[in-house]
């Protein structure tokens, strides 16, 4: 790496927040170091959060649900037996990210805040998201780009965790100079139409400290499925997370979230409106799948993602029905 | 046996026949019999260099650090096509730690790319072309200095697609236009048009394949060190002699002032067959600053600037009689050489594998504004075999025949190009063994008839390649006074096991344990000449030379023993490191005992690769069978099994052979399913510059692989009966997978790689919907 | 001090020219590590450098580094542990895999400072004197390598996997080894090596 910076180990969360105002929060670093190597990020200061034990807990309290510290690593999530049993979408999403080595280092908070993988954004292109004038993917090489929600910028959000947590209707605890705030994950991500240069609403100095996952109603089932071109170390072409309640063979509540289709983890309105009351039989499953991405506007090379997403939704529902 | 003669040697290497003068033994060492009971050759002995590699103590060029060493980094053109108007290096030169900067302004005019360009040229023909090279105290400082170099470019119109580059109004890379040589390369036998007229079934199809990048793990790198006017270069190269010649020519210094060394290297796959600009730049910088210089490509440079397999668009037309007899084949193709000369032809398999009287091929190698191609594991054959074998399957279907029966119907007992017989051809046996192992009878009789979301299919493809090697190749063998042996040969072990097989051959002949033999390769100052490590020529060229040297050593020892024991040489036999009186076996002496009587302390022999047999075609053959699952919901193709059945002469080391076949197959899977260099159409810049976007197979992509060798040996070819396997292993894999996908789905995918987007598109028709 | 520092560096780097046998390389390792300790003890950090203390292959290391140094650079360039390879320098291929407090990480894609106070194990650290670790031995016997450049990373990933799952299933191996690219494609023999090492583990336990 050809950059110079200072590396600080804050002793408390308050100190970290104070320091982070003029630097970058640094946890696993798997994304930030990549951005620095690619000359996209140039922090003068790395504020290392790894020494703060309060960010590393996995707790479950009756009635309050699950609290996952932002510094918990992806492998810790993937291997947690309680999660595997009661929140399988979380452990499945964590286990499908990148590779064992990166999952040992990458953290939950970092995964949620990672920047897009768009090859123009990461490459030597002065694109809209980096403050340039144009999106090169729009009429360029766009088979991995978004089919919905793009507006001037056509990235997809790369986080697998975010998709699972969106289906589980998780909330994020955010701590910053202005104190603590609690934000539904559905309000955390920013569409390009609002600001194409950022992905989240985090303000300078703000840190995700933990993720709160509500206790799922009795009879709930969750699942996360990721489709990638290569069997490992690959980002999702499309991912589907479902957290659904099923009663008497029909869906009674819950959400399906999609990854790889939009600049943010995507809650398709029509799809989610179709869920409640629909039977988990062949007709019902087909009906739900067909309701997904009806407002998609694919680019030249990514129309297949619509079919892929619908087929994956079918597969997910069949697995929940079975 | 010591007599020798000089011949005109001619054999195929990578992209063409090479003809050269070579010294060969006047009398050939008798080849090992097909049924010879060999003790070490053929056994799966451990890799000679395994200890160094698993312990982390193997030093690659990339690991070498010399005292006082400086580091060089290259500034590359950010535009697909441009001219340098001016370069200002003053800010870079002022940086602390910067030692020297080379550009077109101050570098000597050294011709490069077969004289089409210069080491530093003001005309830059691709995004990645070399603009400047900085030497600094550290690699970091060098990289930072690159950013301080101010270059004013005149940006030129570019073309990054071979089809477009052939159009008359396309931006021109060269004054004479974008078609290499100004015309296609044409091959003709019989009259194809006449054949089509007589055919009952005529099929025409167009196929295309992508550009793929070698991406060996060890980057292209060199460490150069001047000692006075003598230059020593450690280089990660497949050809130490090639690099030495390039250095001597470029720097205009005598060849004996240049020593090139390669001990271990992290793969090459063809991309390291020729000297790279970086080595010359490092040598120039090192001379300027009076310090050793190390230069290593980073992964982005590996994906931009050090070679690739050209893409192809292939239009094939086949005609056959109702009974499946092929009457005519025509092949029109074009492929992108990149910005500088390289070969993009791919019709050799079509010309040479099946019996067909009327053949016409027309191939265009086209310049585009992209990184230059280099030979990549069976140049042309991998692309060509994909299209050819798809067409063969289609013809079989149209004539109502089993794909294997169709191939057997058109089996050629002689080389259809030269009309010569083969030294061996066991393709029929490969078909049989492979079909049996994969369970060929279980394929879908009607393609796509498998029910369910996951469709299973079987497919196969044939393989032809040269891989016979030939002279000149020499090896020295030294016998030391303790009976230990050194084998010296100017070949390179590029990860294929050359160290091991040469030790095996010497140990076999001299009846010594493996640990008595050491092998020294790839050092122009000490090892006698051998060819670059490519074209699957290494084993068939070097092992006979080593055997010859070892047999000469045996003869020499017998001569010494005869003198010492006062017996005629005929009375002396060499047995397991001992020299024995045939008539009185109790009278004997060990090699080390004999060697103590030899004041020379070391005996040396030079072995030579013998001439290839005249009047024969030398080829390797094989067939690979693939079982795939096509997930019709996601478009994902999973390769479940590959059976590889090949005719490759004698197996030298079963363990290493299997490994190399498996590796070739894994690369074939990558080529079939995921690898692709992607260029942004609007800027001409490569987007796949890292290993996230340039996807290669990982361990979970691995199928079950079975390797069957149907040959015993090719004693007509050389004294070890050996042919090469590196390229045969890789050639038919993608074609077999594509045919299996057709068998699974009933949809013919004609464009590689078979990525999920293409598969879904094929299965669902036009997919642009919302 | 500066004089001494240069001569030490020259000494360490001279060892890298590739002619020496493997036995020698191991003693170089300890020389390099202990030299680092002695030289830097009690010294004030040079400009733009910070003090780092960690354990590498069981030996305490204490030296001054710039904050931007990656763990792989520390190992290769400062401690002369060149068994750890850098292929992508971006956390995408696994050639640089080492163990950090018992877990496999990409050393090219974490900072050396991230290892402060921790234990690093590299491929060289598996050796006992000149004797190979049974896992390394399995890679020799099963030929789990070709060019060998990714091999140290493969072995360290396998080591981490077997530490966590001493009796892995083939699927465990597929998942556990998924983060290591082998361009030669020696995967079948790599998987076989891991399996064989696990079996010899099992035999040893009985």
């Amino acid at each position: 790496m050809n950059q110079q910076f200072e590396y600080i180990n804050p002793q408390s969360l308050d100190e970290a927040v104070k320091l982070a105002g003029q630097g970058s929060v640094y946890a696993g670093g798997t994304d930030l170091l990549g951005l620095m190597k690619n000359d996209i990020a140039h922090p003068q200061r790395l504020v290392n959060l790894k020494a703060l034990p309060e960010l590393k807990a996995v707790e479950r309290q009756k009635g309050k649900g699950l609290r996952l510290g932002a510094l918990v690593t992806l492998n810790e999530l993937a291997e947690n037996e309680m999660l595997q049993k009661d929140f399988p979408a979380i452990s499945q999403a964590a286990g499908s990210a990148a590779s064992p080595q990166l999952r040992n280092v990458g953290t939950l908070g970092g995964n949620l805040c990672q920047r897009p993988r768009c090859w123009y954004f990461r490459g030597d292109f002065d694109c809209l998201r980096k403050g340039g004038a144009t999106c090169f993917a729009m009429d360029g090489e766009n088979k991995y780009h978004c089919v919905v929600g793009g507006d001037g910028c056509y990235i997809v959000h790369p986080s697998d965790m975010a998709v699972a947590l969106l289906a589980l209707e998780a909330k994020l605890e955010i701590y910053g100079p202005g104190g603590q705030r609690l934000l539904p994950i559905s309000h955390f991500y920013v569409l390009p139409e609002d600001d194409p240069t950022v992905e989240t609403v985090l303000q300078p100095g703000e840190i995700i400290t933990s993720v709160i996952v509500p206790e799922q109603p009795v009879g709930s089932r969750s699942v996360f499925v990721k489709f990638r071109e290569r069997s490992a170390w690959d980002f999702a072409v499309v991912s589907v997370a479902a957290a659904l309640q099923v009663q008497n063979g029909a869906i009674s509540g819950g959400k399906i979230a999609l990854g790889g289709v939009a600049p943010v983890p995507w809650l398709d309105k029509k799809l989610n409106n179709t869920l409640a009351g629909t039977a988990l039989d062949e007709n019902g499953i087909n009906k739900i799948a067909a309701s997904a991405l009806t407002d998609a506007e694919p680019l030249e090379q990514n129309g297949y993602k619509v079919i892929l997403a619908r087929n994956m939704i079918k597969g997910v529902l069949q697995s929940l029905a079975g | 046996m010591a007599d020798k003669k000089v011949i005109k040697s001619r054999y195929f290497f990578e992209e063409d026949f090479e003809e050269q003068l070579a010294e060969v033994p006047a009398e050939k060492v008798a080849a090992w019999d097909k049924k010879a009971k060999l003790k070490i050759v053929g056994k799966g002995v451990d890799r000679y260099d395994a200890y160094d590699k698993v312990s982390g103590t193997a030093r690659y060029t990339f690991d070498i650090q010399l005292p006082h060493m400086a580091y060089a980094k290259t500034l590359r053109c950010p535009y697909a096509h441009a001219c340098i108007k001016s370069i200002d290096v003053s800010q870079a030169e002022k940086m602390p730690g910067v030692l020297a900067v080379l550009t077109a302004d101050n570098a000597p005019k050294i011709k490069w790319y077969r004289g089409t360009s210069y080491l530093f040229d003001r005309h830059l023909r691709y995004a990645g072309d070399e603009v400047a090279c900085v030497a600094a105290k550290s690699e970091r400082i060098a990289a930072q200095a690159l950013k301080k170099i101010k270059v004013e470019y005149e940006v030129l119109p570019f073309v990054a697609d071979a089809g477009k580059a052939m159009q008359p109004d396309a931006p021109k890379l060269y004054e004479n236009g974008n078609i290499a040589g100004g015309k296609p390369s044409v091959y003709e036998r019989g009259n194809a048009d006449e054949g089509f007229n007589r055919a009952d079934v005529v099929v025409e199809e167009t196929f295309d394949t992508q550009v793929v990048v070698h991406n060996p793990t060890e980057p292209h790198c060199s460490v150069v060190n001047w000692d006075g006017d003598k230059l020593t270069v450690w280089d990660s190269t497949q050809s130490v002699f090639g690099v030495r010649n390039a250095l001597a020519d470029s720097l205009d210094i005598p060849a004996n002032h240049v020593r090139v060394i390669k001990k271990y290297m992290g793969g090459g796959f063809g991309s390291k067959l020729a000297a790279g600009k970086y080595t010359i730049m490092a040598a120039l910088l090192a001379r300027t600053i009076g310090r050793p210089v190390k230069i290593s490509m980073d992964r982005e440079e590996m994906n931009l600037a050090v070679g690739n397999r050209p893409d192809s668009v292939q239009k094939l037309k086949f005609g056959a009689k109702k009974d499946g007899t092929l009457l005519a084949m025509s092949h029109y193709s074009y492929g992108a050489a990149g910005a500088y000369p390289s070969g993009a032809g791919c019709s050799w398999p079509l010309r040479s594998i099946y019996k067909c009287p009327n053949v016409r091929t027309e191939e265009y190698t086209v310049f585009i504004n992209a990184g230059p191609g280099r030979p990549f594991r069976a140049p042309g054959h991998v692309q060509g075999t994909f299209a050819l074998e798809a067409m063969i399957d289609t013809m079989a279907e149209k004539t109502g025949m089993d794909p294997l029966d169709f191939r057997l119907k058109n089996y050629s007992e002689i080389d259809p190009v030269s009309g010569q017989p083969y030294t061996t051809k066991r393709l029929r046996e490969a078909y049989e063994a492979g079909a049996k192992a994969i369970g060929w009878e279980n394929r879908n009789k009607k393609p796509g008839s498998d029910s369910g979301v996951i469709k299973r299919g079987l497919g196969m493809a044939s393989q032809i390649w040269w891989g016979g090697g030939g002279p000149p190749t020499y090896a020295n063998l030294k016998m030391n006074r303790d009976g230990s042996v050194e084998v010296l040969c100017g070949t390179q072990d590029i990860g294929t096991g050359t160290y091991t097989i040469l030790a095996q051959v010497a140990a076999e002949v001299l009846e010594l344990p493996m640990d008595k033999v050491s092998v020294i390769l790839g050092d122009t100052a000490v090892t006698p000449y051998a060819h670059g490590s490519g074209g699957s020529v290494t084993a068939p060229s070097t092992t006979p030379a080593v055997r010859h040297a070892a047999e000469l050593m045996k003869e020499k020892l017998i001569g010494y023993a005869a003198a010492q024991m006062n017996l005629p040489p005929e009375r002396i036999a060499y047995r397991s490191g001992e020299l024995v009186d045939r008539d009185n076996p109790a009278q004997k002496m060990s090699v080390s005992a004999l060697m103590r009587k030899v004041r020379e302390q070391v005996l040396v022999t030079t072995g030579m690769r013998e001439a290839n047999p005249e009047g024969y075609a030398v080829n390797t053959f094989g067939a690979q069978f693939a079982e795939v699952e096509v997930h019709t919901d996601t478009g994902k193709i999973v390769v479940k099994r590959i059976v590889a059945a090949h005719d490759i002469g004698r197996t030298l080391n079963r363990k290493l052979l299997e490994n190399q076949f498996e590796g070739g197959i894994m690369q074939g899977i990558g080529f079939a399913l995921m690898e692709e260099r992607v260029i942004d159409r609007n800027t001409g810049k490569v987007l796949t510059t890292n290993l996230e976007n340039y996807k290669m197979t990982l361990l979970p992509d691995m199928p079950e692989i079975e390797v069957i060798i149907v040959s015993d040996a090719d004693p007509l070819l050389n004294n070890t009966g050996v042919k090469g396997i590196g390229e045969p292993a890789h050639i038919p894999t993608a074609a077999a997978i594509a045919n299996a996908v057709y068998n699974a789905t009933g949809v013919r995918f004609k464009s590689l790689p078979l990525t999920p987007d293409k598969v879904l598109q094929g299965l669902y028709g036009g997919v642009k919907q919302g | 001090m500066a004089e001494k520092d240069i001569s030490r560096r020259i000494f360490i780097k001279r060892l890298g020219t590739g002619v020496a046998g493997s036995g020698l390389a191991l003693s170089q390792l300890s020389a390099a590590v202990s030299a680092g300790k002695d030289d830097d003890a009690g010294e004030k950090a040079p400009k733009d450098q910070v003090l780092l203390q960690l354990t590498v292959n069981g030996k305490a290391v204490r030296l001054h580094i710039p904050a931007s140094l990656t763990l792989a650079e520390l190992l290769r360039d400062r401690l002369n542990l060149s068994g750890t390879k850098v292929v992508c320098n971006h956390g995408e291929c696994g050639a640089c895999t080492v163990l950090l407090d018992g877990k496999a990480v990409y050393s090219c894609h974490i900072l050396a400072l991230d290892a402060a106070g921790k234990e690093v194990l590299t491929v060289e650290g598996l050796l006992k004197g000149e004797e190979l670790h049974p896992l390394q031995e399995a890679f020799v016997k099963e030929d789990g390598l070709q060019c060998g450049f990714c091999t140290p990373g493969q072995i360290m990933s396998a080591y981490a996997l077997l530490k966590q799952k001493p009796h892995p299933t083939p699927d465990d191996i597929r998942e556990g080894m998924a983060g290591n690219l082998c361009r030669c494609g020696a995967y079948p023999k790599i998987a076989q090596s891991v399996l064989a090492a696990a079996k010899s583990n099992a035999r040893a336990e009985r």
Side-chain angles (χ1 to χ4, degrees), chain A residues 47-109:
Chain A
V47 183
N48 179 28
L49 301 182
K50 288 191 285 290
L52 302 176
E54 61 264 45
L55 301 181
K56 288 183 183 164
V58 174
E59 299 163 333
R60 192 174 181 185
Q61 285 179 316
K62 260 227 159 107
K64 286 189 173 173
L66 188 65
R67 182 196 197 90
L68 306 170
L71 267 280
V72 177
T73 67
L74 297 179
N75 258 351
E76 286 163 353
L77 293 174
E79 288 162 8
N80 185 302
E81 287 179 13
M82 179 269 291
L83 294 178
Q84 288 170 355
K85 183 168 156 284
D86 294 340
F87 298 89
I90 292 179
S91 53
Q92 288 159 353
S96 72
S99 66
Q101 289 96 322
L102 287 176
R103 294 197 294 271
N104 277 334
V105 175
T107 63
L108 173 58

Side-chain angles (χ1 to χ4, degrees), chain C residues 49-87:
Chain C
Q49 302 221 349
V50 285
L51 180 68
L52 169 67
Q53 300 188 61
L54 74 166
T55 306
V56 178
N57 297 336
K59 294 195 170 68
V61 177
R62 196 183 140 89
L63 72 180
H64 290 105
I65 58 162
S68 58
L69 200 72
T70 65
L71 180 56
E73 288 168 334
L74 172 81
L75 296 170
R76 288 179 55 81
D77 302 342
R78 301 294 293 274
L79 304 180
N80 201 35
L81 292 167
S82 62
T84 300
K85 306 299 183 201
V86 174
V87 169

Side-chain angles (χ1 to χ4, degrees), chain A:
Chain A
M1 203 173 327
N2 305 312
Q3 300 185 14
Q4 284 190 352
F5 49 83
E6 61 174 334
Y7 182 105
I8 301 181
N9 292 308
Q11 299 304 304
S12 69
L13 197 54
D14 281 319
E15 194 191 347
V17 164
K18 217 191 288 166
L19 291 164
Q22 298 104 48
S24 279
V25 168
Y26 180 75
T30 54
D31 191 45
L32 182 59
L33 292 175
L35 293 164
M36 290 163 71
K37 288 175 183 176
N38 284 343
D39 247 335
I40 297 167
H42 306 90
Q44 298 298 302
R45 172 189 286 170
L46 298 189
V47 183
N48 179 28
L49 301 182
K50 288 191 285 290
L52 302 176
E54 61 264 45
L55 301 181
K56 288 183 183 164
V58 174
E59 299 163 333
R60 192 174 181 185
Q61 285 179 316
K62 260 227 159 107
K64 286 189 173 173
L66 188 65
R67 182 196 197 90
L68 306 170
L71 267 280
V72 177
T73 67
L74 297 179
N75 258 351
E76 286 163 353
L77 293 174
E79 288 162 8
N80 185 302
E81 287 179 13
M82 179 269 291
L83 294 178
Q84 288 170 355
K85 183 168 156 284
D86 294 340
F87 298 89
I90 292 179
S91 53
Q92 288 159 353
S96 72
S99 66
Q101 289 96 322
L102 287 176
R103 294 197 294 271
N104 277 334
V105 175
T107 63
L108 173 58
N111 187 275
L112 296 176
C113 295
Q114 64 184 306
R115 303 215 65 192
R117 307 306 302 183
C118 168
W119 43 26
Y120 295 100
F121 173 72
R122 297 269 166 175
D124 181 24
F125 295 86
D126 188 21
C127 77
L128 194 65
R129 190 156 292 272
K130 288 189 284 195
T134 182
C135 170
F136 290 82
M138 198 163 50
D139 58 353
E141 311 308 321
N142 51 36
K143 79 181 239 195
Y144 300 116
H145 289 77
C146 71
V147 293
V148 66
D151 183 4
C153 167
Y154 292 84
I155 61 153
V156 295
H157 199 274
S159 170
D160 294 325
M161 293 311 303
V163 178
L165 294 172
L166 184 61
L168 290 162
E169 301 182 68
K171 293 187 170 69
L172 307 180
E173 268 184 8
I174 295 167
Y175 192 67
Q180 181 164 309
R181 57 177 174 142
L182 193 63
L183 191 70
I185 192 167
S186 56
H187 290 56
F188 182 65
Y189 291 101
V190 174
L191 279 165
E193 64 189 43
D194 296 323
D195 185 348
T197 64
V198 296
E199 292 83 47
T200 75
V201 300
L202 274 188
Q203 297 297 309
E206 282 194 321
I207 297 170
I208 297 178
T209 52
S210 48
V211 175
I212 311 289
V213 185
E215 206 59 56
Q216 302 294 297
V218 177
S220 285
R221 292 177 212 172
S222 78
V223 64
F224 173 87
V225 176
K226 169 174 174 175
F227 181 72
R228 49 192 167 187
E229 287 189 342
R230 182 164 70 167
S231 307
W233 214 127
D234 211 357
F235 287 87
V237 177
V238 171
S239 64
V240 179
L244 299 174
Q245 294 92 56
V246 181
Q247 278 180 345
N248 305 324
I251 297 169
S252 57
K255 294 266 188 289
I256 292 181
L258 303 176
V261 298
V264 300
W266 195 243
L267 273 183
D268 186 302
K269 280 204 190 90
K270 199 170 163 204
L271 166 70
N272 281 289
N273 288 340
T274 312
L275 295 177
T278 303
L280 269 185
D281 55 15
E282 197 183 334
N283 279 341
I285 288 172
N286 285 341
K287 185 180 143 196
I288 293 168
S291 72
L293 298 175
T294 51
D295 53 349
E297 291 177 353
L299 303 166
E300 188 187 334
Q301 299 169 346
N302 66 2
Y304 72 100
K305 282 195 175 186
V306 176
I307 295 175
L308 179 58
R310 288 177 186 162
N311 286 345
M312 287 173 68
I313 291 168
K314 271 189 218 174
V316 161
L317 293 172
Q318 280 159 358
S319 75
L320 290 177

Side-chain angles (χ1 to χ4, degrees), chain B residues 41-339:
Chain B
V41 165
K43 301 293 181 299
V45 302
D46 294 346
R47 196 175 286 265
Y48 174 88
D49 42 349
Y51 178 94
D52 288 3
K53 289 176 175 177
V54 304
S55 62
T57 52
R59 298 273 173 166
Y60 295 73
T61 304
F62 187 69
D63 300 327
I64 290 174
Q65 299 190 43
L66 300 180
H68 216 47
M69 187 167 84
Y71 298 80
K73 288 292 287 178
T74 307
L75 180 68
R76 296 180 180 277
C77 177
Y79 302 104
H81 199 185
C83 273
I84 298 172
K85 288 162 89 174
S86 68
I87 309 180
D88 177 2
V89 300
S90 55
Q91 292 303 310
E93 282 176 337
K94 273 186 211 146
M95 278 181 64
V98 170
L99 302 168
V101 184
L102 270 182
T103 69
D105 288 345
N106 64 347
K109 282 254 176 196
I110 293 169
K111 282 192 176 163
W112 207 256
Y113 295 126
R114 304 182 201 170
T116 57
S117 177
Y118 292 98
L119 189 68
F120 289 100
D121 199 318
R122 288 173 191 280
H123 185 176
L124 305 165
R125 294 186 174 90
Y126 74 98
D129 231 342
E130 289 81 355
V131 173
C133 194
V134 173
K137 278 178 166 173
S138 75
E139 203 165 12
R140 262 166 213 238
I141 295 172
Q144 284 160 354
L146 296 183
K147 294 184 183 163
K148 304 266 183 175
I149 299 176
K150 292 195 190 100
V151 187
E152 203 186 335
Y153 295 99
E154 180 194 351
V155 179
L156 302 171
F158 73 91
V159 58
D161 172 279
K164 286 182 188 148
M166 289 171 77
Q167 302 301 319
D169 56 346
K172 281 188 173 53
L173 277 82
Y174 297 94
E175 268 179 28
N176 295 336
N178 296 335
I179 292 171
K183 58 181 186 353
S185 156
V186 175
Y187 166 83
E188 227 167 346
R189 71 169 180 257
N191 183 327
D193 287 337
E194 217 175 86
F196 291 127
N197 288 337
R198 285 193 288 124
D200 301 314
V201 180
V202 176
V203 176
E204 249 185 294
E205 300 277 12
T206 302
F207 299 84
D208 66 82
T209 63
Q210 76 280 28
V211 171
V212 291
V213 180
H214 307 72
N215 263 316
T217 47
E218 184 187 23
H220 291 57
C221 56
S222 310
V223 175
V224 304
N225 188 30
W226 289 92
D227 182 2
D229 57 358
K230 302 266 188 359
L231 176 64
T232 302
V233 175
W234 291 263
D235 195 26
S236 182
T237 179
Q238 294 173 245
S239 175
V240 287
F241 284 98
V243 172
R244 183 177 75 157
N245 293 346
L247 280 160
D249 292 351
S250 300
L251 303 173
D252 197 19
I253 55 175
N256 65 355
H257 286 201
V258 187
R259 176 180 184 183
V260 178
I261 303 169
K262 193 242 59 146
K263 190 175 179 191
Y264 295 125
M265 78 187 270
F269 314 111
S271 68
K272 294 174 181 168
L273 271 168
K277 277 188 181 182
Y278 50 91
T279 312
I280 313 294
M281 298 188 311
L284 290 170
L285 286 166
R287 193 160 61 179
T288 305
I289 65 176
R291 295 170 66 156
V293 170
K294 180 175 191 173
I295 187 163
S296 314
M297 303 298 103
D298 63 26
R299 197 45 54 178
E300 182 174 3
E301 294 176 294
M302 292 297 293
N303 280 280
L304 288 179
V306 291
N308 56 68
R309 173 183 292 158
D311 58 8
S312 74
V313 173
Q314 305 175 53
K315 296 179 184 182
L316 280 69
K317 184 176 174 186
F318 282 24
K321 286 202 252 182
K322 263 188 242 146
D323 69 353
T325 307
L326 272 174
L327 284 178
M329 300 189 283
S330 76
H331 179 267
Y332 165 95
S333 72
Y334 57 86

